[in-house]
Amino acid sequence: YNAVTTRTIVTGEAGRQQMVHAGMNADRLVVIRGAVDASPFERQVRHNGALRLQLGIPADAPLIGCVARLAPIKGHTHLIDAFARVRATAVGSAAHLVLIGPAWGRGEAALRAQVTRLHLEASVHYLGRRDDIPTCMRDFDVGVVASVGSEALSRVTLEYMCAAVPVVATAVGTIAEILPKSAGRLVPPANAAALAAAIADLLAAPDRGASLGQSGAQHVRREFTIEKQVDALEELYGNL
């Protein structure tokens, strides 16, 4: 990159530091945040009940969602272990977990075996690839990012916030840079106990979860707009 680029765009300070560590010239690195189109989420009603109806679960059942490809780096094994802990609590005994995302290698088979071993078959739902993500997300009580790495942007974190869903996410990649404390909870990666505690905490206080969700929605509409991203790119090109 040093030999062929005048500037290299990264989506966060974490990525910038990683590139510097790999030998990139720091002066050539420019941080330009990702952006998300909020309009598909604004057309959906919060807690619309559509996903619960489709899954055949009670309208008042706590619903935890994770949107990510079923690959080891996305941390689903830790999430399922955490979900088992949540189900063992009073507040989470009726909770359901929805996994949305395409299968990746043998990832889904391993997860299904884990779910069977933990006797969670009736409360974990695999929905595969979906074209109605905004509708699904708006029905979540908690949106989870359980990744153990590979979150250069974490678009799904921005989308959870667009949907006014409180977020529980692992502190990897740029997530700590884009998720404010007013919108969710950060936990260490590969830590099922911490993940479970954060999820259960939000399920136990729906009003607090709703407040976090609204704060996140305002944050993403203010800081991660397509217009701001375009302005930053135009400024970069104008200064070359």
Side-chain angles (χ1 to χ4, degrees), residues 24 40 68 111 151 158 174 215:
M24 276 290 297
L111 294 177
E151 291 295 341
L158 299 180
T174 62
S215 177

Side-chain angles (χ1 to χ4, degrees), residues 74-153:
K74 295 302 183 180
H76 290 90
T77 56
H78 306 293
L79 173 56
I80 291 170
D81 281 343
F83 180 63
R85 292 171 181 254
V86 170
R87 288 277 299 185
T89 67
V91 71
S93 60
H96 287 253
L97 172 64
V98 173
L99 305 179
I100 299 177
W104 195 267
R106 299 179 180 177
E108 183 175 349
L111 294 177
R112 287 184 180 274
Q114 180 185 6
V115 166
T116 298
R117 187 171 65 253
L118 294 171
H119 308 291
L120 296 171
E121 301 96 322
S123 55
V124 177
H125 310 271
Y126 309 84
L127 302 190
R129 189 186 297 274
R130 299 282 296 225
D131 296 324
D132 59 345
I133 296 298
T135 302
C136 293
M137 282 187 175
R138 292 286 275 179
D139 220 10
F140 294 171
D141 291 300
V142 179
V144 179
V145 182
S147 296
V148 295
S150 185
E151 291 295 341
L153 171 61

Side-chain angles (χ1 to χ4, degrees), residues 45-64:
V45 177
R46 183 79 175 103
H47 286 128
N48 52 52
L51 189 55
R52 286 174 169 83
L53 182 63
Q54 181 183 136
L55 297 174
I57 63 177
D60 60 350
L63 189 58
I64 302 158

